[in-house]
Amino acid sequence: MASFTKRNGKWQARISWHDENGKLHQKAKSGFATKAQAKDYATQMENELINGVDIAADPVFADYFKTWYETYRLPKISKATAGNYIISSRVITKYFGDIRIKQIKRSTYQKFLNDYGKDHSFGTMKELTSKIKACVKSAIADGIISKDFTYNANITYNKALTRKPEYLSISELKQLISALNDDLRPDNVKPYIVLTAIYTGARFSEILALTWKDVDYLHRTITINKSVDYKYNLGFKPTKNESSNRTIRVNGELLKILAQLKTNQTPLLFAKTPQSFKNSLLQDANLYLRSTLERIGIKKRDYTFHALRHSHVAFLLSQGIDIYAISKRLGHSNMTTTINVYAYLIDEYKHKLDDEIEQKLAQL
């Protein structure tokens, strides 16, 4: 129920309602120039009440974001991922300050993206916006807001800071594999780790977590069902998400190479325990990879271990492997994720496939 009063030439709207426990609540807003404006506001509030919106709740957006990720995200994410949420929370606090969540409009949010995106890469903006979108959906589910102010927002970013991941051609991959084979000796696991990445496309933390129980020589498969928190030396941790748990087929050459490590007599392929890995291992692997590429005359700017995953995808696409099979092999939850991440590669091979389609149609 709404009531209206006029004070000092301005109209006030007061909305009264009872919650499910019978408790009376009231919400008032003043400053309307006309009674019609006050009635419009009251109608909007009453409609939101009908739609389950808690019109009395209006937390500061930065506070709500912090409470949301601490409640729904923190208990099930790694320490490294938690650090990313903390950084995002600081960004939101700095930009939005004490602005309450109901005050934020689509235009407000888009202005934030435009401003913050000026000095940040696409990857940074994509990660930040995905967190904010999830938070806003939670606020809608909690009945705090009725509309998604992130809807159809455009991600803006600094193109100069955004680099397309580099990948190796087939001939370059063959050169690298040959150089790595020359480095193979069981007391140096780095070339084995890099080769595993080339042949599987697995993530660095997933490769480190492999045990001999995960390797099936009979069926030529490797099972990925955990990862290693090497950054904080916390041992095993779950994979990135449920879909990352997978069993993939591998070639006999990789299995033969990995068998050399059995002489180390360790439960894990590359270490005695998951705590054995140094937190500098990824940096060391990147340095080894780049030095090996330089040694064989391959120049790639800032080529990293993760780029091996892109090279794996590039090779499979070049061989005409279906995107669905690639998505499953990478451990993505759906093909949309694969298409979004590797869109630049898919576009490159689309031209090749278009030529093949044209040739096939000409045979009709």
Side-chain angles (χ1 to χ4, degrees):
M1 187 179 76
S3 60
F4 309 94
T5 56
K6 189 174 184 181
R7 294 179 181 176
N8 301 321
K10 298 290 184 180
W11 284 91
Q12 179 193 74
R14 182 179 296 276
I15 301 93
S16 303
W17 73 97
H18 291 86
D19 61 24
E20 63 273 14
N21 297 318
K23 184 178 179 181
L24 176 66
H25 297 270
Q26 291 187 328
K27 181 180 177 68
K29 185 176 181 179
S30 306
F32 296 103
T34 66
K35 187 176 184 180
Q37 290 176 346
K39 284 185 174 181
D40 287 343
Y41 170 77
T43 300
Q44 179 187 344
M45 291 298 101
E46 288 173 340
N47 286 336
E48 289 193 357
L49 280 171
I50 292 171
N51 291 325
V53 176
D54 185 355
I55 64 173
D58 191 13
V60 171
F61 178 44
D63 293 342
Y64 182 83
F65 181 87
K66 186 173 185 293
T67 300
W68 166 75
Y69 86 75
E70 288 179 344
T71 304
Y72 295 102
R73 292 292 189 266
L74 209 56
K76 58 180 183 180
I77 58 178
S78 67
K79 193 172 180 179
T81 304
N84 292 333
Y85 275 93
I86 292 171
I87 292 172
S88 297
S89 181
R90 289 171 181 168
V91 170
I92 292 169
T93 299
K94 183 178 180 180
Y95 187 90
F96 290 96
D98 294 330
I99 295 177
R100 297 187 177 277
I101 195 167
K102 289 182 178 178
Q103 294 177 283
I104 303 175
K105 301 178 180 178
R106 288 181 61 225
S107 58
T108 310
Y109 180 63
Q110 186 62 60
K111 187 176 184 303
F112 159 68
L113 296 181
N114 295 344
D115 291 343
Y116 194 69
K118 291 177 183 177
D119 303 314
H120 295 86
S121 69
F122 175 74
T124 299
M125 294 301 295
K126 184 179 178 182
E127 184 174 331
L128 175 62
T129 54
S130 67
K131 292 179 173 63
I132 293 177
K133 284 181 180 179
C135 173
V136 171
K137 285 183 179 179
S138 178
I140 294 172
D142 287 342
I144 296 174
I145 55 177
S146 59
K147 294 182 178 180
D148 181 358
F149 60 74
T150 71
Y151 173 73
N152 218 22
N154 297 313
I155 298 179
T156 57
Y157 57 94
N158 189 321
K159 292 184 179 180
L161 299 175
T162 303
R163 296 175 180 174
K164 185 170 68 174
E166 292 189 284
Y167 62 91
L168 301 177
S169 66
I170 295 176
S171 61
E172 289 171 333
L173 273 175
K174 288 182 177 179
Q175 284 181 266
L176 177 58
I177 290 171
S178 178
L180 293 169
N181 281 326
D182 290 340
D183 286 350
L184 292 178
R185 63 177 196 274
D187 62 340
N188 177 25
V189 297
K190 292 189 188 74
Y192 295 91
I193 293 174
V194 175
L195 283 167
T196 303
I198 292 173
Y199 285 120
T200 66
R203 301 176 181 93
F204 185 67
S205 60
E206 294 172 342
I207 292 172
L208 297 187
L210 292 175
T211 67
W212 291 110
K213 292 181 180 180
D214 300 323
V215 183
D216 185 339
Y217 278 85
L218 178 62
H219 300 97
R220 289 186 297 167
T221 63
I222 287 180
T223 297
I224 297 170
N225 54 22
K226 56 192 172 302
S227 61
V228 165
D229 191 337
Y230 59 88
K231 187 173 181 180
Y232 295 99
N233 200 27
L234 296 176
F236 287 131
K237 65 175 183 177
T239 53
K240 188 174 183 180
N241 48 54
E242 185 60 33
S243 61
S244 294
N245 296 320
R246 60 204 188 274
T247 297
I248 61 175
R249 286 283 295 273
V250 293
N251 60 320
E253 181 62 23
L254 175 62
L255 294 176
K256 183 179 177 182
I257 289 170
L258 293 177
Q260 298 175 20
L261 295 173
K262 289 187 175 182
T263 59
N264 292 333
Q265 296 183 330
T266 56
L268 279 71
L269 271 65
F270 309 111
K272 290 182 179 179
T273 68
Q275 289 84 6
S276 301
F277 298 109
K278 297 179 180 178
N279 57 15
S280 63
L281 184 58
L282 179 57
Q283 181 181 356
D284 294 341
N286 283 328
L287 289 173
Y288 170 73
L289 176 58
R290 283 195 286 268
S291 65
T292 304
L293 290 172
E294 290 175 6
R295 191 172 76 236
I296 58 179
I298 298 177
K299 295 182 180 180
K300 296 288 183 181
R301 185 182 66 174
D302 299 328
Y303 194 84
T304 64
F305 190 93
H306 189 73
L308 294 171
R309 189 167 163 89
H310 290 257
S311 295
H312 184 76
V313 173
F315 174 75
L316 295 180
L317 286 172
S318 73
Q319 302 303 301
I321 303 300
D322 183 73
I323 192 67
Y324 175 79
I326 294 175
S327 180
K328 290 295 183 182
R329 188 173 180 84
L330 296 177
H332 288 163
S333 57
N334 52 62
M335 285 194 297
T336 302
T337 301
T338 312
I339 292 170
N340 288 339
V341 174
Y342 300 100
Y344 72 100
L345 283 173
I346 295 169
D347 287 342
E348 288 183 23
Y349 286 102
K350 177 181 178 297
H351 298 300
K352 176 185 175 183
L353 293 174
D354 284 344
D355 291 339
E356 291 182 6
I357 290 171
E358 185 178 347
Q359 292 171 9
K360 298 296 182 184
L361 290 174
Q363 297 174 12
L364 291 176

